[in-house]
Amino acid sequence: TEQTWSSINCAFGRLAQAVGLNRVVDFAHKLGIKGPLNNYPSLATGNNEISPLDMASAFQTVANQGAHLEPYYVEKIVASDGTVVYQHQAQPVQVISPDVANSAISVLKGVLTKGTGRKGRLDGDRPAAGKTGTQSFNTNAWFVGATPDYTTAVWMGDPKGQTRMR
């Protein structure tokens, strides 16, 4: 728990190798990561390029008590006469147990209250969970977070190279 709050990546690197890198990759895909993932030892520390949409999709699965919902762009289309032409129909798939997901969210709430994301707390101490991430030399930075209603992922970096941020 404290390793998560403080972003101590060595712990996650060791854990990923103990569990098995192929199993970690499979689990990431199960949560909602669509892109390819390399099963290198540095997997747990961010050696793969993952889109913000995939990060939000995977985090949403955990925040939604383990039920994955495919991301979508259009909720509803209404004709000028008020007739609903299209309405998105969510089709949740339970990919991890609610107990496991809720345990993870409990830990991730601490990132915002005791860890690296303390400055990201919401007004009024609204319930939220999240995870920060940075790459060597501060060339990439992430925040992925959720409230009971929304999930988001924010990435900042240079897609063309390892440009240091100030």
Side-chain angles (χ1 to χ4, degrees):
T1 296
E2 291 180 18
Q3 303 292 300
T4 302
W5 298 342
S6 301
S7 282
I8 306 298
N9 292 332
C10 293
F12 294 102
R14 288 190 301 273
L15 180 61
Q17 288 194 10
V19 168
L21 297 171
N22 287 335
R23 292 177 72 194
V24 173
V25 167
D26 290 345
F27 191 69
H29 286 132
K30 186 176 177 180
L31 290 175
I33 303 294
K34 297 287 185 208
L37 296 172
N38 297 313
N39 61 354
Y40 302 144
S42 57
L43 168 70
T45 61
N47 78 322
N48 287 282
E49 292 184 15
I50 299 175
S51 74
L53 181 62
D54 276 2
M55 289 292 270
S57 176
F59 203 91
Q60 167 281 139
T61 302
V62 178
N64 197 33
Q65 297 188 330
H68 178 70
L69 294 160
E70 283 295 315
Y72 61 95
Y73 295 100
V74 177
E75 175 71 24
K76 182 179 359 181
I77 300 172
V78 180
S80 59
D81 66 0
T83 306
V84 176
V85 176
Y86 170 81
Q87 174 70 52
H88 175 75
Q89 298 296 321
Q91 297 177 346
V93 176
Q94 195 73 40
V95 297
I96 55 175
S97 77
D99 288 342
V100 169
N102 290 335
S103 292
I105 289 297
S106 178
V107 170
L108 292 164
K109 285 179 179 180
V111 171
L112 298 179
T113 59
K114 302 172 182 134
T116 56
R118 288 185 307 278
K119 293 183 180 183
R121 288 174 44 189
L122 299 176
D123 288 342
D125 286 327
R126 290 180 33 222
K131 185 67 184 85
T132 62
T134 56
Q135 196 168 24
S136 298
F137 307 112
N138 209 26
T139 57
N140 287 278
W142 281 94
F143 177 76
V144 184
T147 68
D149 299 311
Y150 299 102
T151 302
T152 192
V154 179
W155 169 78
M156 188 169 82
D158 180 357
K160 296 179 182 170
Q162 298 292 312
T163 305
R164 288 183 184 220
M165 292 181 276
R166 299 196 193 275

